[in-house]
């Protein structure tokens, strides 16, 4: 027991308030205003203290002192008033009277609570009543009586749950503020969690400090422990014999690691497990069950999900959940979700395993999220896609936990259905690597069903792997397996993507672009409106490969109308981007930029993180052409940062290639060379058609030509054209042919240059005024040849076949790219 004289300090063992900076000042004001303040919440982990400075402020307003009452040792609820009497010294007075033979009259004998209320009726003091949760009803009765009969008494209580009486003001003690994962040393030490760890570690390991070498591990420790002060103190004690990286690596077994704090601390404060055991022991059976069930949810849970999975009667779940919230074991978030601190969740998982109920709960969890995924999947291609994407994003961790459980439990049917239902979600949100990994793990499972769900997993694995370092043979095998299953089962109607397998195989070099166009055209009358629009959009891409620019524009218009009617943003965004490219060919850069901006806004709204950088790069190019170079540079920098974070190799190659283009056009040839080299290095690891390597090689050819090395330029041009022809992509081939036109002009053959420009436009199906180099070359050729001379040479070139061009520039026709 502690009695504090007015205007004096609390003793040194009460040294720090467990909460965020500035909390005590606000709590002190609350005590003045509300009379009863209960400190609750997850932050203190049952260990609430006051600072010396703040205690002095409180005692200055309490002439009869501040009295500290520790209820942790009290077991019998009837002893709560007596515990307070003992602290105040009133219980000893009664014992002394009895010892001296003073026998009061029967009418003078009073209950402890009555004596306490009478003794404090005219006092002005503050009672600090610590650890009320295990005696909550008795503590509530005591507080209610004192507040009613003793107007000068203020009470500051600590409890895992509210006392629940009229006039109570709650103050939630939050965990200590945490730094972001990648915080630097200078910033990390400004966060209370890091300061507490560093302070306590310095006490057991003199000279300890947060440094460049250990800051990542220190931050990881604090974040893994949710900013819980006691857990951080226990972790700091381990730093006496372990390094920060060793402690961080062992936190998966936190309850075994974090033991052995102060020997004078309460037993339930000496280990992390004891702290949480204290809360567990105070719960009823339903509360323990729900704690265990909620621990299975990786990203928190909604009330509906808990009702579906818990096994508790649905009409009882809410009351039990609120009880856990009141006991500071569950956090009710503003988004309607219920979460646990990671330490509380880890404890619940251990208890669930001990109960032998883990498999039932996890299987129920997986079934619930399978139902959600399958309900959401068709909605992702319609007007409500943002709402359903939001729901899936909110449940992202749970969906993946459900899939991991199904794979780990060997439940191939559920795993296949989950993977199939999530495939399009992964694609839309830019989680292609995640989707590829999940699909591969699912496809490797024994007992995989031979049905449309498996076919869809194969198809999604292939789509997610294009443009990565995945082996081409794997992609071919997956697409082929998907086709064989749908042919064998007749389940192509399960999902629209299954009806695109044939044209996709052709697009990657199977039967060729003409065959792919025929297969896509067959989908124009498909019953699925989204697939009809998608087929038009893909047909337009094939048209561009074949040099059919007018047909491509027509199909893009129809695709855009279809996607807009559906309210489908992904298809709308990609169609707008394709239209912007065609618009840029005509030199209409302002309109092209507007189309790209609309596309970028739609894809950003959806969170299509892997596609936004592509559109941003193209928009940057159009802005560059308009002279808005500062804005273009900002966009390209954003795309570069995004590519570095995501690690998408194709985006990273594209970013560096475009930065090389900008540097070259500004005359910074050294920077341009560095960027082209980086782009070439990244692109070398890509699978699929060689579009990017061809474009990079074309840029390198332009760079060395500007530096005067025409022989090196010819080698780069030949590389660009050879790779481009293997892709059978008309626009990419046209870029490479235009490069040879530039080379012919530099070698003194303006007529040949004009002919090659005409040949390039024939391959493309339209002139391309979007590239500054080509625009400048046309101007130079018209000046040298005259308008009529240029037109005549250009027309001759338009009659050349691709084989004619290859023979003229001395490049052998390579084999077409095939999967």
């Amino acid at each position: 027991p502690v009695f504090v004289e007015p205007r004096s300090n609390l003793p040194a063992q009460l040294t720090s308030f467990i909460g965020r900076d500035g909390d005590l000042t606000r709590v002190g004001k609350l005590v003045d205003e509300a009379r009863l303040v209960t400190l609750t919440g997850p932050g203190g982990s049952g260990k609430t203290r006051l600072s010396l400075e703040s205690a002095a402020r409180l005692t200055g307003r309490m002439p009869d002192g501040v009295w500290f009452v520790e209820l942790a040792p009290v077991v019998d609820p009837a002893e709560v008033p007596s515990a307070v009497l003992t602290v105040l010294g009133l219980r000893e007075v009664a014992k002394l009277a009895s010892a001296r033979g003073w026998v009061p009259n029967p009418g003078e004998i009073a209950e402890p609570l009555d004596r306490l209320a009478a003794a404090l009726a005219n006092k002005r003091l503050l009672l600090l009543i610590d650890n009320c949760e295990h005696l909550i009803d008795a503590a509530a009765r005591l507080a209610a009586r004192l507040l009613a009969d003793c107007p000068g008494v203020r009470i500051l209580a600590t409890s895992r749950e509210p006392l629940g009486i009229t006039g109570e003001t709650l103050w939630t003690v939050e965990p200590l503020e945490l730094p972001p994962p990648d915080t630097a040393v200078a910033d990390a030490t400004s966060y209370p969690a890091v300061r507490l760890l560093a302070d306590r570690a310095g006490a057991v390991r003199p000279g300890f400090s947060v440094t460049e070498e250990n800051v990542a591990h220190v931050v990881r420790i604090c974040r893994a422990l949710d900013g819980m002060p006691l857990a951080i103190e226990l972790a700091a004690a381990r730093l006496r014999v372990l390094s920060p990286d060793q402690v961080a690596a062992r936190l998966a077994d936190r309850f075994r690691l974090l033991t052995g704090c102060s020997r004078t601390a309460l037993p339930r404060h000496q280990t992390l497990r004891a702290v949480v055991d204290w809360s567990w022991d105070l719960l009823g059976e339903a509360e323990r069950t729900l704690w265990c069930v909620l621990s299975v949810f990786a990203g928190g849970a909604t009330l509906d999900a808990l009702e579906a999975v818990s096994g508790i009667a649905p009409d009882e779940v809410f009351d039990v959940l609120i009880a856990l919230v009141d006991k500071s074991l569950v956090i009710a978030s503003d988004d309607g979700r219920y979460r646990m601190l990671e330490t509380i969740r880890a404890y619940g998982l251990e208890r669930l395993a001990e109960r032998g109920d883990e498999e039932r709960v996890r299987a129920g969890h997986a079934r619930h999220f399978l139902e959600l995924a399958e309900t959401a999947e068709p909605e992702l291609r319609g007007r409500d896609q943002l709402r359903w994407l939001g729901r899936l994003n909110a449940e992202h961790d749970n969906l993946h936990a459900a899939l991991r459980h199904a794979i780990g439990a060997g439940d191939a049917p559920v795993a296949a259905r989950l993977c199939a239902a999530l495939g399009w979600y992964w694609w839309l949100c830019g989680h292609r690597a995640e989707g590829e990994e999940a699909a591969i793990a699912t496809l490797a499972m024994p007992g995989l069903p031979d049905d449309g769900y498996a076919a869809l997993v194969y198809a999604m694995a292939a789509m997610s792997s294009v443009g990565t370092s995945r082996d081409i043979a794997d992609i071919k095998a997956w697409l082929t397996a998907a086709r064989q299953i749908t042919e064998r089962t007749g389940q192509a109607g399960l999902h629209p993507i299954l009806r695109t397998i044939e044209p996709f195989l052709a697009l990657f070099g199977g039967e060729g672009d003409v065959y792919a166009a025929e297969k896509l055209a067959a989908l124009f009358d498909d019953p699925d409106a989204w697939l009809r629009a998608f087929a038009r959009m893909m047909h337009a891409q094939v048209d561009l490969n074949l040099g059919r620019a007018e047909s491509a524009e027509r199909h893009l218009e129809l695709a855009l109308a279809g996607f807009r009617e559906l309210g489908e943003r992904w298809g709308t965004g990609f169609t707008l981007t394709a239209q912007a490219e065609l618009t840029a060919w005509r030199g209409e850069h302002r309109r092209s930029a507007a189309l790209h901006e609309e596309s970028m806004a739609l894809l950003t709204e959806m969170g299509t993180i892997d596609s936004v950088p592509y559109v941003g790069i193209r928009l940057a190019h159009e802005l560059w052409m308009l002279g808005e170079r500062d804005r273009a540079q900002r966009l390209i920098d954003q795309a570069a940062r995004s590519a570095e974070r995501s690690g998408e190799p194709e985006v990273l190659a594209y970013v560096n290639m475009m930065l090389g283009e900008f540097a070259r056009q500004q005359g910074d040839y050294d920077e341009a060379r560095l960027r082209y080299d980086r782009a070439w290095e990244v692109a070398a690891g890509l699978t699929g058609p060689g579009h990017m390597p061809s474009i990079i090689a074309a840029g390198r050819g332009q760079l060395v030509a500007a530096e005067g090395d025409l022989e090196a330029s010819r080698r780069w041009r030949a590389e660009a054209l050879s790779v481009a022809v293997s892709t059978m992509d008309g626009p990419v081939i046209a870029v490479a042919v235009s490069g040879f036109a530039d080379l012919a002009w530099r070698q003194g053959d303006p007529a040949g240059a004009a002919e090659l420009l005409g040949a390039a436009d024939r391959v493309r199906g339209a002139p391309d005024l979007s590239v500054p180099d080509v625009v400048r070359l046309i101007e130079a050729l018209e000046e040298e040849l005259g308008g009529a001379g240029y037109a005549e040479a250009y027309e001759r070139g338009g009659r050349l076949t691709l084989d004619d061009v290859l023979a003229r520039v001395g490049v052998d026709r390579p084999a077409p790219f095939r999967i």
Side-chain angles (χ1 to χ4, degrees):
V2 178
F3 171 63
V4 184
E5 294 291 345
R7 291 167 297 282
S8 68
N9 292 337
L10 287 175
Q13 67 261 33
L14 304 176
T15 54
S16 61
F17 178 70
I18 302 304
R20 294 177 184 265
D21 292 349
D23 278 356
L24 258 184
T25 301
R26 295 189 287 274
V27 170
K29 292 179 180 178
L30 285 176
V31 171
D32 280 344
E33 298 167 0
R35 295 191 63 204
L36 168 63
V37 176
T38 302
L39 302 180
T40 186
S45 300
K47 194 175 183 184
T48 306
R49 306 178 186 174
L50 293 175
S51 69
L52 300 177
E53 178 186 356
S54 299
R57 288 201 300 269
L58 291 173
T59 58
R61 298 192 295 275
M62 300 294 167
D64 295 306
V66 175
W67 302 80
F68 183 80
V69 182
E70 172 60 80
L71 293 186
V74 180
V75 177
D76 187 351
E79 288 296 312
V80 170
S82 298
V84 181
L85 287 169
T86 299
V87 170
L88 294 171
L90 298 177
R91 190 173 186 180
E92 283 69 18
V93 171
K95 289 180 179 178
L96 180 60
S98 176
R100 293 182 178 181
W102 299 345
V103 181
N105 295 325
E108 296 175 349
I109 298 176
E111 292 294 328
L113 185 54
D114 294 331
R115 287 197 294 118
L116 179 61
L120 300 183
N122 298 313
K123 299 294 185 180
R124 187 178 173 196
L125 55 79
L126 172 67
L127 284 177
L128 304 178
I129 306 179
D130 198 23
N131 296 301
C132 298
E133 57 270 4
H134 64 304
L135 302 165
I136 195 71
D137 292 335
R141 287 193 296 273
L142 179 141
R145 177 66 180 276
L146 296 184
L147 293 178
D149 294 357
C150 311
V153 171
R154 300 288 189 272
I155 299 175
L156 179 62
T158 74
S159 176
R160 296 290 177 88
E161 61 180 306
L163 300 185
I165 64 176
T166 303
E168 179 181 29
T169 296
L170 295 179
W171 180 269
T172 300
V173 181
E174 300 287 352
L176 298 177
E177 189 176 1
L178 293 167
D182 55 351
T183 305
V185 173
D187 296 325
T189 52
S190 68
Y191 287 87
V194 174
R195 289 204 305 272
L196 177 63
L197 181 70
D199 176 67
R200 298 298 189 266
V204 298
R205 190 172 184 170
F208 178 87
S209 64
V210 182
T211 65
E212 288 285 354
E213 290 71 28
N214 67 25
V215 63
H217 304 299
V218 168
V219 168
R220 181 181 166 195
I221 292 168
C222 293
R223 291 182 62 84
L225 297 176
D226 306 299
M228 294 172 63
L230 177 59
I232 290 174
E233 290 187 1
L234 291 167
R238 282 290 179 246
L239 290 174
R240 184 172 67 87
V241 293
L242 297 174
S243 63
D245 61 313
Q246 290 174 318
V247 171
R250 286 166 170 76
L251 285 179
D253 192 9
R254 65 189 65 198
F255 295 114
R256 184 178 178 182
L257 175 69
L258 303 183
T259 61
C261 194
S262 170
R263 290 189 177 92
T264 63
L266 289 170
R268 64 187 179 87
H269 287 165
Q270 292 183 5
T271 72
L272 185 61
R273 182 180 296 281
V275 172
V276 192
D277 280 341
W278 171 264
S279 293
W280 176 267
D281 292 340
L282 297 176
L283 298 182
E285 182 57 30
E287 293 168 328
R288 291 177 179 180
T289 297
L290 195 59
W291 178 347
C292 291
V293 170
L294 184 52
S295 68
V296 169
F297 287 77
T302 62
L303 177 60
D304 290 345
L306 288 172
E307 289 174 343
V309 177
S310 68
I312 302 172
D315 58 349
E316 297 177 11
V317 172
F318 180 73
D319 291 336
V320 178
L321 184 61
I322 294 306
L324 292 176
V325 172
D326 284 343
K327 292 176 172 63
S328 306
L329 294 167
V330 173
I331 301 168
S333 304
D334 292 338
D335 59 3
R337 300 180 67 78
Y338 297 89
R339 297 177 171 85
M340 288 178 166
L341 296 180
E342 191 56 33
T343 294
I344 303 301
R345 181 170 174 259
Y347 183 93
L349 288 173
E350 283 195 8
R351 287 291 191 173
L352 181 63
E354 289 173 6
R355 291 176 153 218
D357 206 25
E358 184 174 8
E359 178 56 34
R360 180 194 67 81
V361 173
R362 288 196 180 277
H365 176 274
R367 287 192 300 272
H368 174 76
F369 286 102
L370 171 59
E371 181 180 350
L372 171 64
E374 290 187 334
T375 301
E377 206 283 335
E379 303 293 340
L380 298 180
R381 292 181 294 281
R383 195 170 303 279
D384 289 336
Q385 66 183 168
L386 283 184
R387 181 168 69 87
W388 284 98
L389 278 173
R391 288 194 61 178
L392 294 180
N393 281 330
E395 301 293 1
H396 182 89
D397 292 340
N398 277 314
L399 290 163
H400 281 254
L403 180 57
R404 285 194 301 271
H405 167 73
I407 294 173
D411 192 343
V414 169
R417 287 176 60 185
L418 259 171
C419 201
L422 293 173
W424 194 243
Y425 161 69
W426 288 325
W427 180 271
L428 289 179
C429 293
H431 302 308
R432 289 174 56 187
E434 208 168 3
E436 178 191 15
E437 180 182 347
I440 292 171
T442 300
L443 294 173
M445 295 181 69
L448 187 72
D450 185 38
D451 59 13
Y453 295 111
L456 191 52
V457 178
Y458 277 117
M460 289 299 180
M463 290 178 60
S464 298
S465 301
V466 173
T468 70
S469 58
R470 174 62 53 184
D471 194 303
I472 284 295
D474 291 335
I475 299 175
K476 177 180 179 180
W478 292 332
L479 283 172
T480 302
R483 177 170 62 182
Q484 290 172 345
I485 292 174
T486 53
E487 289 176 349
R488 187 164 55 248
T489 64
Q491 288 184 301
L494 182 67
H495 194 283
I497 288 298
L498 293 178
R499 303 196 287 285
T500 67
I501 293 174
E502 283 289 341
F504 271 127
L505 276 170
L507 284 173
F508 282 107
E511 292 85 355
D513 288 346
V514 174
Y515 179 78
E518 292 174 359
K519 290 295 183 180
L520 287 166
L523 298 175
F524 292 168
D525 296 322
D526 192 271
D528 188 288
W530 179 87
L531 184 54
R532 294 196 299 270
F534 180 78
R536 293 280 185 183
M537 181 179 74
M538 293 305 299
H539 198 291
Q541 297 297 327
V542 175
D543 284 336
L544 291 175
N545 287 351
L546 296 171
R548 303 170 180 172
E550 291 185 7
S551 176
E553 286 205 87
R554 184 174 68 256
H555 286 299
L556 287 174
E557 289 174 4
L558 292 169
L560 184 61
F563 285 130
R564 287 198 189 279
E565 184 176 354
L566 289 169
E568 206 277 279
R569 293 164 178 79
W570 177 85
T572 301
F574 274 90
T575 305
L576 287 169
T577 292
Q579 286 186 323
E581 291 294 295
L582 289 172
T583 304
W585 288 1
R586 295 192 291 268
E588 299 174 15
H589 299 295
R590 182 64 62 189
R591 172 164 168 69
S592 177
L595 292 170
H596 279 312
E597 284 181 311
E598 184 181 356
S599 171
M600 194 170 177
L602 289 169
L603 297 176
T604 300
E605 184 181 29
M606 291 186 65
T608 310
I609 56 176
D610 62 337
S611 300
V612 169
Y614 282 109
V615 183
I617 294 167
R618 293 170 181 173
L619 173 58
H621 177 268
E622 296 307 300
L623 293 173
W624 187 275
M625 293 295 291
L626 290 166
E628 299 182 29
R629 296 196 168 184
D630 289 343
R631 189 178 169 205
Q633 190 66 50
R634 287 195 299 271
L635 277 170
I636 209 78
D637 289 344
Q638 289 173 10
R641 289 192 296 271
S642 176
E644 292 289 351
R645 286 194 303 271
S646 67
E648 285 283 342
E650 194 168 9
V651 180
L652 195 59
Y654 196 8
V655 163
N656 279 281
M657 185 277 296
M658 190 59 72
L659 286 171
E661 289 288 293
F662 288 173
R664 178 177 61 79
Q665 291 175 27
Q666 289 180 303
D668 189 347
Y669 294 162
D670 290 338
E671 174 67 14
R673 186 176 296 102
L674 288 172
R675 290 296 182 175
Y676 286 137
D677 286 347
R678 175 60 176 147
W680 186 261
E681 177 187 350
V682 175
L686 299 175
T687 61
H691 304 78
M692 189 61 64
S694 176
I695 296 171
I696 297 167
R700 286 298 302 265
Q702 196 73 22
L703 172 64
V704 294
E707 292 177 320
D709 191 343
L710 298 187
E711 182 55 34
S713 177
R714 200 206 74 79
R715 290 195 299 271
W716 278 111
R717 307 289 196 191
E719 176 73 14
L721 183 55
S722 179
V723 174
V725 171
S726 73
T727 70
M728 298 307 294
D729 186 316
V732 177
I733 296 172
V735 169
V737 174
S738 297
F740 272 103
D742 176 84
L743 185 61
W745 172 70
R746 292 177 186 274
Q747 291 175 329
D749 183 7
E755 290 175 355
L756 287 172
L757 282 180
D761 290 351
R762 176 185 176 176
V763 172
R764 187 186 298 106
D768 180 7
L769 303 179
S770 68
V771 181
D773 299 313
V774 172
V775 174
R776 287 193 294 268
L777 178 59
I778 292 172
E779 292 173 351
L781 293 175
E782 287 181 334
E783 182 176 348
E784 292 186 28
L785 298 173
Y790 171 76
E792 182 179 344
Y794 177 86
E795 185 177 350
R796 286 197 305 272
R799 294 192 291 270
L800 295 175
T801 66
L802 181 57
D803 286 328
D804 293 334
V805 173
L806 292 173
R808 174 176 292 197
V809 300
V811 173
D812 295 332
R813 176 184 278 274
F817 175 82
R818 292 287 186 269
I819 286 186

